[in-house]
Amino acid sequence: MSGQKRILLIIGGGIAAYKALELIRLCKKANIAVTPILTRAGEQFVTPLSVAGLAGEKTYTHLFDLTDEAEMGHIQLSRVADLVVVAPATADLMAKMATGQADDLATTALLATDTPVLIAPAMNVRMWEHPATQRNLTTLTGDGVLVCGPEEGDMACGEYGPGRMSEAADIFAAIEKFYAGDNHPPQPTTPTRQTGPLSGRKVLITAGPTHEPIDPVRYIANRSSGKQGYALAEAAIALGAEVALVSGPVGLPIPQGVELINIETARDMLKAVQGELPCDMAIFCAAVADWRTEDNAQQKMKKDGSGQPPALKLAENPDILKSVGHLKNHRPALVVGFAAETENVIENARKKLIAKNADIIIANDVSDEGGVMGGRDNTVHLVGPDNVEHWEKMPKQDVAVRLMDRFSDMLAKSS
Ligand code: C5P
């Protein structure tokens, strides 16, 4: 790279747009020139004047600004920089980038550019976790787009979770890393496995709900978010394990380093689990639907005008934990079940421990007041053959880290 370093900064419309101002300041301090583009939505949060003031350059806003077209076409504008930075990258901007839409100056520049792109996503947690956004993220990273954040925390909208835009200093660090990396976006690398107490051990985890089809467009499901199971997968990776995560449909980012097997139905989950045996530890965190429809309709079911709703005939799904717990050969050395209960939590967990031949059941109360299903926190009780331990309420990530430490100790003692 020669001459003056320059980024093209696209500021999208989000409450985090104010952080873009600090980012400009940091870049200028480091002698990196900034050409700013402000989207129409971005203008609702910061003004072209304050952006231009900090950048010391004109802020570009509209596609059909004839003067700009004469001075510098949008194609050229997209290529003045070494790196295009999109901050905040809203769900809408990510969707447009992933599908190649170009209906304003920012998206046109993004489509026309041949320079590397770094995005700093910022949006509501549900929008971030939505399968559509996650699909777009996968497309964009596959296209070589660099991603910084988002962070997890309290959001402006009052919710908690991933979706907050990274701080300006962190985005700036990603820009510096780009320049240090000789102008090439880093190629996706296989993360090196951590060393730890689970090094050389294979851990199988089921997570999320299952979807049982009724007809081609309808299904039976439950409120499981998959968060606890995904957090366990991350914690197991951190302890050095090889992790296979068999997951029902959820909108969560894939934990780095896991082998993810996506399934929809309980029967598919059973097959996937069998395909991952033998393993050292199996953790059944999924909320498997107990029943499926006996025959799911091949065509969308219709009202027949008689006023009589159709009767759904249900069949019982295989119990995956039970089948693995009772294996004669290849039973994992440690089999862990979860029990989501709305009443008699401990008593029901004990019954499951015996019926499913698990080594330990992690029981939790999912009655409405607890807000466990889909929520951030979990209150768990560890139910073993001879004892019960009650843990205080804590974030699911903390539950996962502490549980994984415990499981790792149990595994070490059992084998
Ligand atoms: O649904 P239930 O309360 O019986 O779930 C208890 C445990 O059994 C959980 O660990 C769940 O993942 C597992 N399970 C399973 N297959 C089923 C039902 C439950 O693996 N069909």
Side-chain angles (χ1 to χ4, degrees):
M1 190 168 311
S2 61
Q4 162 90 74
K5 290 177 185 165
R6 177 177 291 277
I7 65 162
L8 179 69
L9 176 63
I10 295 175
I11 305 173
I15 198 99
Y18 73 93
K19 294 184 187 173
L21 300 179
E22 172 64 3
L23 179 62
I24 297 173
R25 203 185 60 73
L26 291 172
C27 287
K28 296 288 289 178
K29 208 170 137 202
N31 201 25
I32 300 173
V34 179
T35 304
I37 292 183
L38 191 54
T39 66
R40 233 176 249 283
E43 280 185 76
Q44 304 299 316
F45 295 91
V46 290
T47 67
L49 215 58
S50 51
V51 172
L54 278 163
E57 302 204 11
K58 177 183 166 73
T59 305
Y60 294 86
T61 48
H62 305 303
L63 182 56
F64 300 109
D65 183 331
L66 290 179
T67 321
D68 298 339
E69 283 300 305
E71 284 169 3
M72 180 191 284
H74 55 267
I75 306 280
Q76 207 184 332
L77 180 62
S78 73
R79 297 187 186 162
V80 293
D82 315 306
L83 176 70
V84 180
V85 179
V86 188
T90 58
D92 175 60
L93 267 174
M94 284 178 63
K96 284 183 170 150
M97 287 173 73
T99 49
Q101 291 178 58
D103 60 1
D104 64 3
L105 181 59
T107 49
T108 307
L110 280 162
L111 196 61
T113 194
D114 56 2
T115 45
V117 179
L118 167 73
I119 61 170
M123 65 198 74
N124 164 273
V125 55
R126 300 262 178 268
M127 291 168 82
W128 174 252
E129 289 177 347
H130 195 283
T133 304
Q134 290 304 310
R135 259 197 314 277
N136 292 334
L137 179 67
T138 307
T139 304
L140 291 172
T141 49
D143 290 346
V145 169
L146 306 170
V147 184
C148 176
E151 306 301 325
E152 181 164 321
D154 289 315
M155 310 201 62
C157 54
E159 290 185 64
Y160 181 96
R164 276 165 62 114
M165 188 168 92
S166 294
E167 295 304 320
D170 295 324
I171 304 170
F172 177 69
I175 294 170
E176 279 194 309
K177 205 167 145 202
F178 162 78
Y179 278 111
D182 206 21
N183 204 15
H184 294 299
Q187 295 304 311
T189 52
T190 317
T192 38
R193 187 151 288 140
Q194 314 262 340
T195 46
L198 290 178
S199 294
R201 302 289 209 167
K202 177 166 176 180
V203 175
L204 168 63
I205 300 173
T206 69
T210 62
H211 284 184
E212 309 295 333
I214 296 170
D215 67 16
V217 294
R218 305 180 177 99
Y219 55 82
I220 302 170
N222 59 63
R223 296 184 193 281
S224 169
S225 66
K227 284 179 187 164
Q228 189 63 78
Y230 275 57
L232 281 163
E234 269 173 21
I237 289 278
L239 294 185
E242 175 195 343
V243 178
L245 178 61
V246 179
S247 173
V250 296
L252 298 176
I254 305 167
Q256 248 209 341
V258 304
E259 181 204 353
L260 179 71
I261 303 123
N262 284 310
I263 54 85
E264 293 223 340
T265 67
R267 284 185 293 177
D268 292 344
M269 183 173 267
L270 175 64
K271 258 188 242 151
V273 163
Q274 287 167 340
E276 292 301 326
L277 294 175
C279 66
D280 297 289
M281 186 192 300
I283 305 172
F284 295 88
C285 197
V288 185
D290 286 324
W291 303 283
R292 63 177 184 276
T293 55
E294 200 166 66
D295 309 293
N296 57 301
Q298 293 309 302
Q299 303 298 331
K300 185 180 168 199
M301 290 163 73
K302 298 236 177 344
K303 285 186 268 190
D304 64 5
S306 69
Q308 287 295 315
L312 288 182
K313 211 164 167 205
L314 299 179
E316 198 164 310
N317 267 330
D319 191 316
I320 308 165
L321 164 57
K322 196 171 176 181
S323 70
V324 174
H326 284 96
L327 280 177
K328 294 276 172 290
N329 298 318
H330 298 314
R331 181 189 185 275
L334 188 72
V335 174
V336 179
F338 273 70
E341 302 290 348
T342 54
E343 56 184 351
N344 303 329
V345 178
I346 305 299
E347 192 187 317
N348 286 334
R350 271 215 185 92
K351 284 185 189 153
K352 283 179 188 172
L353 183 80
I354 296 163
K356 304 192 186 216
N357 198 31
D359 297 301
I360 186 167
I361 292 276
I362 311 304
N364 53 11
D365 186 342
V366 293
S367 55
D368 262 348
E369 310 89 76
V372 168
M373 281 253 175
R376 181 187 78 139
D377 294 331
N378 206 353
T379 311
V380 298
H381 313 276
L382 282 60
V383 181
D386 321 304
N387 60 329
V388 178
E389 226 180 276
H390 305 280
W391 286 6
E392 76 272 21
K393 182 175 174 174
M394 62 185 104
K396 286 178 178 170
Q397 264 89 358
D398 297 354
V399 171
V401 170
R402 287 184 54 180
L403 280 180
M404 219 53 205
D405 272 340
R406 177 65 62 90
F407 299 158
S408 163
D409 287 349
M410 288 172 76
L411 180 64
K413 282 185 194 130
S414 74
S415 52

